Amino acid sequence: MSDADRVAGEGTHVVPTKREELQFVRELLHGRWRHIILVHVFLFFQHSPVFMMPILGGLMLDLVVDGGESRLKWLVFYTSISLVLLIQNIPSCVLRQRYLSLVTRGMGRDLRVRICTQLQRLSLHYHNNTSVGKLQTKALRDVEQVELVPGLMANNVFLFAAQCVITVIAVLFRAPGALVFFIVLVPLAVAIQRVFGRRIGDTVHQYRRSLEGMTSRLSDMLTMIPVTRAHGVEEEEIRAVSSKMDRVFNEGFRFDRIIAVFGASSWVVMQAVQALFLGGAVYAAFQGWLTVGDVLMFNAFFIGLSNALNTLLNTLPQFAQARESLRSIQEVLRSPDIEDYRDKKQVDTPAGHFRFEKVTFVYPRSERHALKNVDLDIPAGSSIALVGGSGSGKSTLISLVLGFIRPTGGRLLLDGRDLAGLDLRSLRRHVGVVTQDTVFFSGTIYENINFGLREANEERASRALRLANAWEFVAELPDGIHTRLGEDGIKLSGGQRQRLAIARALIRNPRVLILDEATSALDVESEELVQNALNRVMRNRTTFMVSHRLATVRHADRIVILERGHITHMGSHGELMEGDNFYSSAVRRNLRFWG
Ligand code: ADP
Ligand code: MG
């Protein structure tokens, strides 16, 4: 893997060592060994005709030459065994498939659940830096590749090994000297693997990277379509996506070519050895060292063996792909960028007293302080408004309160306890967030309002909608609270969506309320409706608000002015208006506090 790859990804992925890969495979197979063994047992039975036919064929042919008196009896016997062997193939095949499915589908399900669990634990920082398309590829395509492995192991590797053992036994019985010819196959196969193995592995890796690059660019393209259209840069977008497609094409082409060369080479080598072998066996029969039956049997074995070897070699690329996919999945599962909840204290019912002590924050890969030495005491149930120019640190301060990021210096306390020692999930259950970007999934208003709640309750939902001044317009919709939103549903105005988002935040009766530009998408009329609602619900909840609307800000108990990550002024509306500062001058000039 090149350095460029390291930087291009999420910045945290590390190639696992061989031992870690093995450990991972062991984990995957854990609890499935019984089924795996059954797969192999039934597979062996299923294939026993293939193993036994050469032996039976050889024996039958020798009956022609020197069968003696009872040769008809023997012929009937051998034929019956052949038929029995053939008939058992059907039940064996069905059972083999049953256990194989249990293993592969079970592994696929477990892997996907593990990926999803991990994705839910990974920090927002990780998600903001990793494309959805790339993650989908891992959960869908890569898992499918891994699901193929148990089947390959059984059908190609195990059958080959079984074929070897049976051949060796049969040859030892009939003509031990002929074993030499079979042994030639081993160094040949090893040599072919040596020549191609590495190159195939590298090509597969490059191909996977190009595919991930393409899918993440594709998902970016999809999210950017409205912006692209608005700026009339469709051509540029198509060109950018096409270059990723070109890379996939080139890598795929390279991969196909190497597979073709490899497949053909190993086939020709095997066929050539087969021809030589047949010649040698016939010569041995001329000399009377082997019977005609032996020649037939050995030749059938040899063909079987070299074909099995060829199949084995040809699965090499598939194994390489599966290994690559395993690595790709491990990249997510092993990403250290997770929110660690172990040994963290639960937050039961927080009072909501926040205290910043000399809090500093610097974003990764940034030199500037987003916040520096912020001291702030926010008593439970009080409200503060953050105002300041764009980039002054308002959103950073909110992210700290939510625990999405941790102070790089200083401490942030909730009710006297350091946030670093708390289970943030349990804290966030007591926090309601309303932002400018309202996201709803395709479902009814009712389902959206109840999102993530264990028990949905119509009574509670309608109360929350009333508090958010959304009840009137919801009640007028065709299906009321059960009207569908999203793709196949109705379109709402910005103000309506905003009020639904407020209702969603309120339904949990949160102790802490975060309003990040919550009123900015509203027209004057609905602003008043929402503002009334907010004033009502802010009472007795610790509230952080970011807004550039005077009507929203002035109701806060305290207004904090941020400039370049520092607090420059702080006070109530009245107090700040007495002095000369960012806030008072903006209010006097009747400006908004651009955020
Ligand atoms: P505001 O919300 O007041 O506009 P922010 O808190 O978003 O300000 O940003 C404060 C500073 O941190 C800005 O200089 C901004 O460029 C920087 N910043 C914000 N988010 C990131 C990020 N994810 N990575 C690096 N720097 C960031
Ligand atoms: Mg911001």
Side-chain angles (χ1 to χ4, degrees):
M1 177 191 267
S2 67
D3 279 339
D5 279 341
R6 270 172 214 283
V7 178
E10 43 274 33
T12 43
H13 65 245
V14 185
V15 180
T17 63
K18 271 221 172 81
R19 176 189 248 170
E20 285 163 340
E21 282 184 87
L22 269 179
Q23 174 62 29
F24 187 50
V25 171
R26 221 172 291 143
E27 278 170 34
L28 270 183
L29 298 181
H30 182 75
R32 304 187 198 285
W33 286 110
R34 198 175 70 86
H35 289 166
I36 291 173
I37 290 168
L38 286 172
V39 168
H40 290 87
V41 169
F42 288 116
L43 185 66
F44 185 81
F45 281 122
Q46 185 198 335
H47 264 260
S48 56
V50 180
F51 301 141
M52 295 307 289
M53 280 311 177
I55 299 178
L56 290 168
L59 291 171
M60 283 194 217
L61 211 60
D62 281 344
L63 289 178
V64 179
V65 185
D66 56 352
E69 288 296 285
S70 53
R71 65 182 187 181
L72 202 62
K73 248 194 271 163
W74 280 108
L75 187 62
V76 172
F77 176 64
Y78 292 149
T79 313
S80 327
I81 292 189
S82 307
L83 287 177
V84 171
L85 282 176
L86 283 173
I87 289 165
Q88 64 75 41
N89 176 278
I90 297 175
S92 298
C93 177
V94 171
L95 284 166
R96 190 254 324 164
Q97 189 51 50
R98 176 193 145 84
Y99 290 109
L100 186 60
S101 290
L102 284 173
V103 172
T104 57
R105 311 253 171 223
M107 253 171 54
R109 177 200 53 205
D110 289 1
L111 266 179
R112 291 200 170 103
V113 170
R114 270 178 75 175
I115 292 174
C116 291
T117 310
Q118 174 77 351
L119 289 177
Q120 289 293 348
R121 289 172 65 210
L122 280 163
S123 70
L124 279 185
H125 177 252
Y126 177 94
H127 284 291
N128 290 337
N129 289 302
T130 314
S131 94
V132 174
K134 194 164 158 178
L135 294 176
Q136 276 177 347
T137 308
K138 289 178 197 289
L140 300 175
R141 176 179 172 272
D142 285 331
V143 171
E144 269 172 18
Q145 293 280 346
V146 173
E147 279 181 337
L148 294 177
V149 173
L152 287 177
M153 282 304 274
N155 289 322
N156 301 345
V157 180
F158 171 75
L159 277 189
F160 170 73
Q163 181 98 45
C164 283
V165 171
I166 291 186
T167 305
V168 167
I169 293 172
V171 174
L172 276 178
F173 249 88
R174 303 284 295 209
L179 209 56
V180 181
F181 291 101
F182 288 90
I183 288 171
V184 181
L185 285 175
V186 177
L188 268 177
V190 173
I192 294 174
Q193 198 275 337
R194 273 285 155 82
V195 172
F196 288 98
R198 185 37 129 357
R199 284 174 59 200
I200 291 176
D202 287 348
T203 323
V204 166
H205 180 74
Q206 292 305 330
Y207 180 66
R208 197 252 293 183
R209 285 268 169 246
S210 71
L211 211 60
E212 281 189 346
M214 192 266 286
T215 40
S216 66
R217 190 64 189 76
L218 197 64
S219 65
D220 285 352
M221 188 196 88
L222 291 175
T223 41
M224 292 299 282
I225 277 181
V227 183
T228 311
R229 200 60 57 81
H231 292 78
V233 290
E234 292 94 338
E235 291 301 319
E236 283 79 354
E237 272 292 282
I238 294 171
R239 219 172 301 134
V241 178
S242 303
S243 81
K244 296 287 177 187
M245 309 279 181
D246 286 347
R247 195 171 158 219
V248 174
F249 170 82
N250 289 332
E251 296 298 343
F253 191 74
R254 229 156 62 91
F255 178 67
D256 293 343
R257 193 178 50 201
I258 196 169
I259 296 308
V261 175
F262 167 71
S265 313
S266 52
W267 188 80
V268 167
V269 170
M270 289 304 147
Q271 295 303 311
V273 178
Q274 246 176 59
L276 288 174
F277 180 83
L278 184 60
V282 172
Y283 178 78
F286 288 167
Q287 302 295 328
W289 302 332
L290 293 179
T291 68
V292 177
D294 285 340
V295 174
L296 178 85
M297 183 196 345
F298 287 177
N299 194 51
F301 269 135
F302 201 87
I303 292 176
L305 204 59
S306 58
N307 285 346
L309 194 57
N310 207 29
T311 317
L312 182 70
L313 286 173
N314 277 311
T315 48
L316 221 61
Q318 282 172 291
F319 274 118
Q321 268 180 319
R323 184 174 180 192
E324 193 54 41
S325 291
L326 263 185
R327 284 187 181 170
S328 160
I329 292 167
Q330 275 177 292
E331 265 172 24
V332 189
L333 295 185
R334 287 160 35 88
S335 174
D337 199 2
I338 54 171
E339 290 186 357
D340 194 353
Y341 304 120
R342 277 171 305 169
D343 307 326
K344 296 288 165 80
K345 291 199 185 63
Q346 293 285 315
V347 180
D348 294 328
T349 31
H353 172 200
F354 282 90
R355 193 182 161 84
F356 286 69
E357 291 181 351
K358 298 233 165 315
V359 168
T360 292
F361 187 80
V362 183
Y363 281 98
R365 290 193 281 263
S366 161
E367 268 129 57
R368 277 195 52 205
H369 283 87
L371 285 179
K372 190 156 190 190
N373 287 336
V374 169
D375 280 311
L376 200 53
D377 193 79
I378 305 132
S382 73
S383 58
I384 72 159
L386 304 167
V387 300
S390 173
S392 57
K394 305 181 294 292
S395 298
T396 305
L397 198 144
I398 298 284
S399 298
L400 283 166
V401 170
L402 281 165
F404 290 154
I405 51 177
R406 290 187 191 292
T408 47
R411 291 201 306 166
L412 173 51
L413 307 174
L414 167 63
D415 300 336
R417 297 195 294 179
D418 196 327
L419 226 56
L422 302 180
D423 181 335
L424 294 172
R425 290 172 304 182
S426 68
L427 163 63
R428 291 184 199 133
R429 274 180 211 125
H430 301 284
V431 181
V433 184
V434 184
T435 64
Q436 189 171 11
D437 316 313
T438 48
V439 184
F440 298 103
F441 61 84
S442 307
T444 67
I445 291 179
Y446 181 64
E447 288 161 352
N448 268 285
I449 303 275
N450 281 300
F451 180 70
L453 284 184
R454 287 226 169 73
E455 70 252 33
N457 178 328
E458 201 147 337
E459 179 68 34
R460 259 169 90 181
S462 67
R463 202 171 335 123
L465 284 167
R466 269 179 237 274
L467 269 173
N469 278 340
W471 182 248
E472 263 173 43
F473 86 82
V474 170
E476 280 171 15
L477 293 172
D479 296 316
I481 198 169
H482 298 292
T483 306
R484 285 188 74 80
L485 300 175
E487 235 162 71
D488 51 349
I490 52 149
K491 290 291 279 178
L492 294 175
S493 74
Q496 291 171 326
R497 294 172 67 86
Q498 207 61 28
R499 280 179 278 165
L500 287 190
I502 293 170
R504 178 171 60 190
L506 289 180
I507 198 165
R508 303 147 200 273
N509 191 17
R511 286 298 308 141
V512 182
L513 203 57
I514 292 181
L515 311 170
D516 193 352
E517 299 288 5
T519 49
S520 55
L522 305 181
D523 50 63
V524 178
E525 197 180 339
S526 41
E527 182 188 356
E528 211 177 291
L529 289 171
V530 172
Q531 197 57 56
N532 290 341
L534 287 179
N535 292 345
R536 215 169 342 162
V537 298
M538 271 162 50
R539 243 171 266 147
N540 295 324
R541 296 179 217 270
T542 312
T543 307
F544 293 80
M545 62 174 108
V546 174
S547 178
H548 56 249
R549 295 209 178 202
L550 179 58
T552 306
V553 168
R554 67 176 303 157
H555 296 286
D557 295 329
R558 220 157 13 131
I559 299 163
V560 173
I561 302 176
L562 279 169
E563 278 173 40
R564 294 160 172 269
H566 294 274
I567 294 179
T568 52
H569 298 85
M570 183 157 47
S572 67
H573 172 77
E575 287 162 358
L576 286 178
M577 288 309 290
E578 278 166 24
D580 193 15
N581 51 56
F582 178 87
Y583 181 80
S584 60
S585 74
V587 173
R588 277 190 206 111
R589 283 182 291 146
N590 203 11
L591 288 177
R592 308 211 287 184
F593 322 105
W594 295 112

